[in-house]
Amino acid sequence: DRELPDNPKIRFLTAGLLLARGRPAEAVPGLEWVVERQPNHLSARLNLGEAYLALSRREQALSQYRAVAALDPSNALAQRRLTELGRR
């Protein structure tokens, strides 16, 4: 993580690749880094929610999906995950 530049786009894309390759634990730090600096980055929050979910970190996943739904109530993935997890 320290080797990556302080560029949210690069960190987001790198974390997304890790997540897509089935490496959610490695994706989490980069996604958390992006969300800390850009709290309205919906894609980063969604990916972070997916990574948390893959790691059985349900409450943290719910927190990300809720944040996305608050920023964009029409976001289908966030709404679907909130419904699947049985909480809003």
Side-chain angles (χ1 to χ4, degrees):
D1 193 47
R2 292 182 187 140
E3 297 173 10
L4 291 174
D6 287 341
N7 181 313
K9 185 174 183 176
I10 291 172
R11 288 191 184 231
F12 171 72
L13 292 172
T14 301
L17 287 172
L18 290 167
L19 185 59
R21 291 183 175 165
R23 296 161 57 185
E26 293 174 65
V28 165
L31 292 167
E32 288 175 337
W33 187 93
V34 173
V35 168
E36 284 175 14
R37 286 156 183 81
Q38 296 183 344
N40 293 338
H41 194 307
L42 298 182
S43 295
R45 285 191 175 276
L46 286 170
N47 281 356
L48 186 54
E50 295 295 290
Y52 285 148
L53 199 56
L55 296 169
S56 299
R57 292 164 64 176
R58 186 175 186 273
E59 291 303 316
Q60 289 173 295
L62 277 168
S63 177
Q64 295 306 313
Y65 299 130
R66 285 185 191 121
V68 171
L71 293 165
D72 178 11
S74 66
N75 188 285
L77 179 58
Q79 295 299 336
R80 184 169 60 249
R81 290 292 188 246
L82 289 169
T83 299
E84 289 170 356
L85 295 169
R87 288 175 114 189
R88 290 191 171 256

